[in-house]
Amino acid sequence: MSQNVFQFIDVQRVDPPKKPLKIRKIEFVEIYESFNQSQVQMQADRCLDCGNPYCEWKCPVHNYIPNWLKLANEGRILEAVELSHQTNSLPEVCGRVCPQDRLCEGACTLSDRFGAVTIGNIEKYITDKAFEMGWKPDLSKVVKNGKRVAIIGAGPAGLACADVLVRSGATPVVFDRNPEIGGLLTFGIPSFKLEKEVMQRRREIFTEMGVEFRLGVEVGKDVQFSDLVTEFDAVFLGVGTYTYMKGGFDNETAPGVYDALPYLIANANRLLGFEKSPSDYIDFAGKQVVVLGGGDTAMDCVRTAIRQGASRVICAYRRDEENMPGSKREVQNAREEGVEFMFNLQPVGVELNADGQACGIKVVSTELGAPDANGRRSPVVIAGSEQVLAADAVVMAFGFQPSPSPWMAQHGIGLDSRGRIQAPEQAEFAFQTSNPKVFAGGDAVRGSDLVVTAIYEGRKAAEGILDYLKV
Ligand code: FAD
Ligand code: SF4
């Protein structure tokens, strides 16, 4: 690190430049350029190497952030990438999609007055650069222990579990109904945040490490869960949450009203060449689109609509901007790309034209009332404030709930009242369910959350499985 302890004052925080707007608005490519080596060294050098690093504590996987910042600053990329993989199975993904402003960077000692260290972009640089240099995880010293673990779900939870298991000598076999790995990383999060090649590269790396993928295979349909329980020494469930929450308002199932995830999946399938029929694609070109909701999924929908060539895109949210759950960075990106935000509006019904097709959304204005049980102020409707926003397409982005399969109960896997799989971290073996042979983690256990928390639980569950198998 530099001899100048005031480097963080002399060198300001800089983010990598964004691609020009005219490209961003039409192309499904990541919007941020990559840092170059000298930018990485300058930015990493701003780190104070705090004795008690808040960034590291706040990071759900407790990445050794100041240590790999130091290595990046010294140009020791291969050592940095080895270190980052000690705590994280997909650092190049986290570098791209973690809400760093709420996690490591939000906790950085420098964040309030001087601008946090650009941790996320350096994390992305380290991993991408290492791959470019030909780096691969070295498993040559791993001794196989003969244990085989079935993993259901190739999302971040399942992949992280497979990563830790294979590095410990077990053989993970990952089943997913999708034709590519990644779960929501591939089929939910759009390419302008995470290009599809990132997961394809990871599939090749995991395969070389000894992880077996059985893709296009749905457990419960193409293979039976009971057969997996019999055939394998343990099973991990990383099946995510796929029940779309509805608004409960009039005409929400009318033609022209869409759930967010099928819309995003249809777009991903087209980009990946997995589209079964052209009629599966949901095209908003030339349409007036209103997206309801204020989270990251809503931001992904509005920005996808812009790239499809929608004539007008509005995001309507029932609280104010301050109380939006979505990442501030993504709201800013959406605004730059031409999305209009309308706050304190609650939908009450979809307006239909003579053909029964959505032609608008009726909303009422709200003001924020008393805090609810989670401490968030609830929107209260203002009487007589109805208005209609014209819309050819309405997208509901209200979040997701678990979708437990019947085979879970049949195999004694306990669920809570909201349908989440019960698999406590504090169980005798971490993330073990009420069926001792079955473990679980990620969104299916905690409810819709983040990539990095799914990675954490997948890794910890793998440790639980190894303890259970006594290897
Ligand atoms: P998933 O990623 O959902 O993976 C579950 C996998 O299980 C899927 O591939 C599914 O096909 C498979 N599966 C399920 N049942 C079966 C079965 N019976 N047989 C075979 N396979 C099965 N988080 C962030 O940190 N940053 C973001 O920017 C961000 N953006 C998001 C944008 C959108 C649109 C959405 C929907 C979520 C976003 N998230 C984001 C949240 C994040 O993607 C999830 O928290 C994370 O992917 C959960 O990982 P998981 O492995 O638990 O589940
Ligand atoms: Fe460096 Fe900020 Fe972490 Fe301190 S909190 S070690 S300054 S990145």
Side-chain angles (χ1 to χ4, degrees):
M1 295 258 175
S2 99
Q3 298 303 308
N4 178 8
V5 286
F6 297 113
Q7 180 80 350
F8 63 92
I9 300 175
D10 298 343
V11 177
Q12 301 219 320
R13 174 194 164 100
V14 174
D15 289 295
K18 296 180 199 178
K19 298 205 168 110
L21 263 179
K22 61 179 191 309
I23 293 180
R24 272 167 64 184
K25 287 167 79 163
I26 54 168
E27 285 191 2
F28 284 93
V29 290
E30 285 178 14
I31 70 163
Y32 291 97
E33 307 280 4
S34 292
F35 270 147
N36 61 36
Q37 189 167 333
S38 76
Q39 288 166 325
V40 163
Q41 288 180 311
M42 296 267 283
Q43 290 297 308
D45 204 12
R46 295 183 67 245
C47 173
L48 299 174
D49 194 11
C50 304
N52 184 4
Y54 296 121
C55 56
E56 197 169 307
W57 284 111
K58 189 73 181 178
C59 169
V61 290
H62 305 306
N63 279 328
Y64 302 130
I65 294 167
N67 303 61
W68 48 247
L69 286 175
K70 182 171 189 295
L71 292 167
N73 170 245
E74 292 167 0
R76 293 157 67 187
I77 296 302
L78 297 181
E79 289 163 78
V81 80
E82 286 290 345
L83 189 61
S84 81
H85 278 80
Q86 283 183 21
T87 51
N88 193 346
S89 304
L90 302 167
E92 76 281 28
V93 174
C94 287
R96 286 168 163 88
V97 304
C98 271
Q100 286 98 5
D101 52 346
R102 284 195 270 141
L103 300 173
C104 54
E105 293 182 11
C108 173
T109 311
L110 296 177
S111 70
D112 285 344
R113 290 189 53 206
F114 300 100
V117 177
T118 45
I119 298 169
N121 277 297
I122 295 175
E123 183 180 34
K124 170 184 157 191
Y125 174 88
I126 290 168
T127 335
D128 286 352
K129 185 72 191 169
F131 285 139
E132 210 180 288
M133 292 163 76
W135 174 83
K136 284 176 188 166
D138 177 10
L139 272 63
S140 58
K141 298 199 174 59
V142 173
V143 180
K144 287 273 180 203
N145 56 36
K147 301 292 184 189
R148 295 175 75 240
V149 179
I151 294 179
I152 307 177
L159 294 175
C161 184
D163 180 39
V164 172
L165 289 172
V166 79
R167 286 170 186 268
S168 310
T171 302
V173 181
V174 184
F175 297 82
D176 202 297
R177 59 185 174 211
N178 287 331
E180 179 57 277
I181 72 163
L184 291 174
L185 304 181
T186 300
F187 294 94
I189 300 179
S191 317
F192 46 82
K193 278 160 64 181
L194 175 63
E195 281 171 11
K196 304 297 165 197
E197 292 74 19
V198 174
M199 291 318 294
Q200 289 161 354
R201 181 174 65 189
R202 263 296 161 185
R203 172 171 40 72
E204 285 159 21
I205 287 167
F206 279 136
T207 304
E208 268 188 59
M209 288 164 72
V211 178
E212 188 187 326
F213 290 106
R214 298 196 192 160
L215 300 177
V217 177
E218 180 164 349
V219 174
K221 188 170 142 222
D222 305 311
V223 293
Q224 294 314 309
F225 184 71
S226 49
D227 293 338
L228 301 184
V229 176
T230 311
E231 184 190 333
F232 289 87
D233 297 294
V235 181
F236 173 78
L237 304 177
V239 291
T241 50
Y242 286 90
T243 304
Y244 320 127
M245 282 168 52
K246 296 286 187 183
F249 47 75
D250 291 344
N251 302 325
E252 66 179 357
T253 56
V257 184
Y258 303 90
D259 287 308
L261 197 54
Y263 168 59
L264 294 173
I265 291 174
N267 200 64
N269 278 335
R270 172 151 291 191
L271 292 175
L272 284 159
F274 293 141
E275 193 173 80
K276 292 202 177 91
S277 147
S279 63
D280 294 343
Y281 183 61
I282 302 170
D283 191 357
F284 290 164
K287 293 196 171 160
Q288 291 197 77
V289 181
V290 175
V291 175
L292 305 170
D296 284 333
T297 304
M299 292 314 106
D300 290 347
C301 291
V302 287
R303 298 177 67 202
T304 299
I306 290 278
R307 283 159 177 79
Q308 288 183 337
S311 59
R312 185 178 186 195
V313 182
I314 293 174
C315 174
Y317 179 55
R318 65 195 183 124
R319 291 188 171 90
D320 59 9
E321 182 162 8
E322 190 55 34
N323 285 284
M324 266 179 112
S327 148
K328 299 219 174 333
R329 177 182 65 190
E330 300 309 321
V331 174
Q332 162 79 6
N333 285 334
R335 253 202 193 107
E336 288 167 6
E337 289 164 12
V339 174
E340 295 168 51
F341 284 87
M342 299 178 89
F343 295 104
N344 297 103
L345 290 182
Q346 185 160 310
V348 287
V350 175
E351 299 285 298
L352 305 181
N353 64 18
D355 300 328
Q357 180 85 24
C359 63
I361 174 91
K362 188 184 281 178
V363 291
V364 284
S365 299
T366 61
E367 57 191 5
L368 290 183
D372 63 16
N374 299 321
R376 291 185 75 200
R377 292 177 66 192
S378 307
V380 178
V381 172
I382 301 173
S385 62
E386 280 186 6
Q387 58 168 310
V388 174
L389 308 177
D392 312 302
V394 175
V395 181
M396 295 183 290
F398 298 140
F400 310 96
Q401 282 179 330
S403 13
S405 302
W407 45 258
M408 293 182 185
Q410 286 157 12
H411 287 82
I413 298 164
L415 306 173
D416 70 10
S417 57
R418 288 162 57 190
R420 295 176 298 188
I421 300 172
Q422 287 183 302
E425 182 170 6
Q426 284 70 33
E428 184 188 358
F429 303 107
F431 293 100
Q432 189 177 41
T433 69
S434 40
N435 178 330
K437 212 174 172 179
V438 181
F439 292 70
D443 280 3
V445 168
R446 53 191 302 131
S448 299
D449 198 22
L450 292 175
V451 173
V452 67
T453 48
I455 292 174
Y456 172 79
E457 295 197 349
R459 293 178 65 89
K460 284 286 160 194
E463 289 172 17
I465 292 170
L466 293 165
D467 287 347
Y468 165 76
L469 296 175
K470 301 196 175 14
V471 288

